[in-house]
Amino acid sequence: NAGVTQTPKFQVLKTGQSMTLQCAQDMNHEYMSWYRQDPGMGLRLIHYSVGAGITDQGEVPNGYNVSRSTTEDFPLRLLSAAPSQTSVYFCASSYFDTMEYGYTFGSGTRLTVV
Amino acid sequence: SQKIEQNSEALNIQEGKTATLTCNYTNYSPAYLQWYRQDPGRGPVFLLLIRENEKEKRKERLKVTFDTTLKQSLFHITASQPADSATYLCAPGKGRRALTFGSGTRLQVQP
């Protein structure tokens, strides 16, 4: 099924632990991004990529790292988890040269840092 | 910095009525505006896009308007159904820049 696949769906981390949230898409979208969603704050952009080998920071990049070695994959790494990173994380992808079809979002990863 | 405002209070309407949701933005001149639907525990789903030179756009029971003078977009769902109950997000955009989303308005359609 074409779309954006995120794993895991749920994760509990202890403060200071590191982990990688996985995101893969099979639509050959050039553009991929990571958002976090917190109650009352909407979606906030963490990092984004306009193609393999190219990444850039969004609104709230601190504490997160990304890389884009292939068109399909865009993993998000938490370097040293903090309780403030408890959130729902969404990966999204789209065509780069047109916004007519919008973003395709994954189903999210719910992360709790204790 | 740009600011996007959507009514944080839930909108409750009766089935069959028209739901109207508002998206206001400041410190920004978007070239287009997108609307998304989000169900609990799911990622947002793209509904439609309206460009700055389009006053109105329709898709089935959905109608979106875009007033660049008022810096506002209105999202209408006609003949609303309980299945339309969800949170609706707006996202003004420009060129190929990453989208900034509003925090969304929750719509509850009562049978």
Side-chain angles (χ1 to χ4, degrees):
Chain A
N1 292 334
V4 177
T5 302
Q6 289 186 240
T7 56
K9 292 191 183 301
F10 301 93
Q11 183 71 48
V12 178
L13 286 180
K14 293 183 178 179
T15 297
Q17 286 185 316
S18 62
M19 79 159 294
T20 299
L21 280 63
Q22 301 292 344
C23 174
Q25 54 91 10
D26 58 1
M27 298 168 284
N28 205 30
H29 284 168
E30 302 92 346
Y31 182 87
M32 297 186 74
S33 56
W34 278 100
Y35 288 86
R36 60 177 288 175
Q37 187 172 42
D38 302 292
M41 300 191 73
L43 290 159
R44 291 185 292 167
L45 181 66
I46 305 171
H47 285 285
Y48 65 96
S49 168
V50 298
I54 307 170
T55 64
D56 206 347
Q57 296 181 350
E59 180 187 356
V60 288
N62 292 339
Y64 307 96
N65 208 351
V66 293
S67 60
R68 183 101 179 265
S69 56
T70 67
T71 299
E72 295 77 22
D73 300 297
F74 190 44
L76 177 72
R77 281 181 284 278
L78 277 70
L79 309 173
S80 177
S84 61
Q85 294 178 304
T86 293
S87 186
V88 181
Y89 291 84
F90 289 102
C91 178
S93 71
S94 73
Y95 292 110
F96 179 65
D97 58 357
T98 175
M99 294 304 292
E100 195 67 42
Y101 307 105
Y103 284 7
T104 301
F105 281 85
S107 57
T109 295
R110 185 174 294 275
L111 175 69
T112 302
V113 182
V114 298
Chain B
S1 61
Q2 66 187 65
K3 190 175 180 182
I4 303 165
E5 292 183 340
Q6 293 186 258
N7 196 339
S8 59
E9 292 183 14
L11 177 64
N12 292 290
I13 64 168
Q14 288 295 121
E15 183 176 6
K17 301 291 186 183
T18 296
T20 298
L21 286 69
T22 304
C23 175
N24 295 299
Y25 56 90
T26 55
N27 298 326
Y28 198 34
S29 297
Y32 56 83
L33 194 145
Q34 298 186 349
W35 283 90
Y36 290 76
R37 168 183 173 142
Q38 186 174 22
D39 292 287
R42 309 289 293 271
V45 174
F46 172 72
L47 296 174
L48 41 61
L49 174 150
I50 185 167
R51 299 188 183 281
E52 60 180 336
N53 60 351
E54 298 174 313
K55 295 288 186 190
E56 178 181 300
K57 198 158 189 177
R58 292 175 185 262
K59 180 182 177 182
E60 297 172 356
R61 293 185 295 112
L62 307 180
K63 185 180 86 171
V64 172
T65 62
F66 192 9
D67 190 324
T68 56
T69 301
L70 291 178
K71 293 186 180 293
Q72 180 181 80
S73 176
L74 299 179
F75 178 85
H76 306 272
I77 304 176
T78 58
S80 58
Q81 305 165 1
D84 295 326
S85 299
T87 296
Y88 291 87
L89 310 172
C90 71
K94 197 167 192 174
R96 300 169 184 175
R97 298 180 194 173
L99 285 179
T100 300
F101 287 82
S103 55
T105 298
R106 189 163 63 89
L107 173 66
Q108 189 71 37
V109 181
Q110 306 291 344

